[in-house]
Amino acid sequence: MRSFFRPCPSMKPAVVLLHSSMSTKAQWGELVSQLSDGYRCIAVDLLGYGSAPFPAQLGPEYRHTLAHEIDAVNAAVAAHLQPGEAFHLIGHSYGGASALHMARRMPERVLSLTVYEPVAFHLLPEQHPARAEIVAVVERIKACAEAQDATRIFIDYWNRTGSFDAAPAAAQAKMAGMIAKVKRDFEALLGEPATLEDLAALTMPALVMSGLSSPASTRLLAEQLAQALPNATALQTRGGHMGPITHAAVVNPAIISFLSDAEITAG
């Protein structure tokens, strides 16, 4: 049986929220508002996004890792949690992969785990079609000499062809300004050593969500992940990979319902 520290009964349970690549903690604004009556929500800007600094490069051989990312998350949430306090954990896309790493590092503190299409392709064998597909996308991005061209590949893959060119010029420039961190994100994801077998230790209630219109790579990964986690529920909703933003009206109620059930289990 897992053990964890809960604050006094009068204190609301904590929820830590991690956003996707090329986004900020603001993407969770609507969900945070809906949860605020019953939970203390701690939405965090991941490194290189929002108000968080770009990862510090420690020499020419530096490689970014999910461990670096979660070190920064832990530092950011420390002021909002009591020492050793348990919390619910939510992550989307790159934030979902980061959440999986965080849960593996401190399973005794994670009351429940909610991930929407975590891009944790490192969990799959190299020959798996889902991993091969995303590796091909990464190689195309790395081959681009111009940030705008690399950003177009990234945005169109996760949304649909033409999405980047359809965006206003100011939005295109903003997205292109974040592509350097996106490359670091992929570096961290594909360099993570964990496998699906390593997830057997994550016995907390888990919700693995995916979008009906998402790329095959993330839908296949979500299926594999839900099977690997011992206490997981799989759920597909309308929308695609950016469902927590584009289809919050269906994604958020599912998350809220899951958290409520998880609180009953934890309590």
Side-chain angles (χ1 to χ4, degrees), residues 5-14 37-38 40 82 85 263 267:
F5 164 71
R6 294 295 297 266
C8 62
S10 62
M11 186 178 291
K12 298 176 183 178
D37 286 345
R40 292 152 45 222
Q82 297 186 29
E85 181 182 348
E263 264 299 292

Side-chain angles (χ1 to χ4, degrees), residues 46-58:
L46 298 173
L47 289 172
Y49 300 114
S51 61
F54 198 85
Q57 300 199 25
L58 308 176

Side-chain angles (χ1 to χ4, degrees), residues 209-251:
M209 304 183 74
S210 59
L212 291 168
S213 302
S214 295
S217 61
T218 46
R219 286 187 284 108
L220 286 169
L221 177 57
E223 291 175 8
Q224 295 284 302
L225 182 61
Q227 292 173 14
L229 290 167
N231 194 15
T233 299
L235 178 64
Q236 278 200 329
T237 68
R238 296 196 307 276
H241 184 66
M242 301 310 293
I245 299 172
T246 62
H247 289 71
V250 293
V251 172

Side-chain angles (χ1 to χ4, degrees), residues 41-162:
C41 292
I42 310 165
V44 179
D45 280 329
L46 298 173
L47 289 172
Y49 300 114
S51 61
F54 198 85
Q57 300 199 25
L58 308 176
E61 301 303 317
Y62 170 82
R63 292 187 63 82
H64 190 55
T65 68
L66 293 182
H68 293 131
E69 205 74 62
I70 295 308
D71 285 345
V73 170
N74 283 333
V77 303
H80 304 276
L81 297 172
Q82 297 186 29
E85 181 182 348
F87 52 88
H88 299 279
L89 182 57
I90 299 173
H92 169 216
S93 190
Y94 179 63
S98 298
L100 287 170
H101 179 97
M102 190 173 189
R104 288 179 54 243
R105 275 176 61 170
M106 51 183 69
E108 74 286 351
R109 292 184 62 188
V110 178
L111 296 170
S112 73
L113 176 65
T114 301
V115 287
Y116 190 101
E117 295 196 6
V119 287
F121 295 105
H122 58 273
L123 294 171
L124 302 175
E126 289 189 11
Q127 67 274 17
H128 193 286
R131 180 165 178 165
E133 180 176 314
I134 201 66
V135 166
V137 172
V138 172
E139 291 303 316
R140 289 175 59 210
I141 289 173
K142 289 166 60 177
C144 290
E146 299 295 330
Q148 195 169 48
D149 293 335
T151 308
R152 180 180 293 106
I153 293 170
F154 178 77
I155 294 297
D156 286 4
Y157 177 76
W158 292 119
N159 295 276
R160 64 182 185 281
T161 302

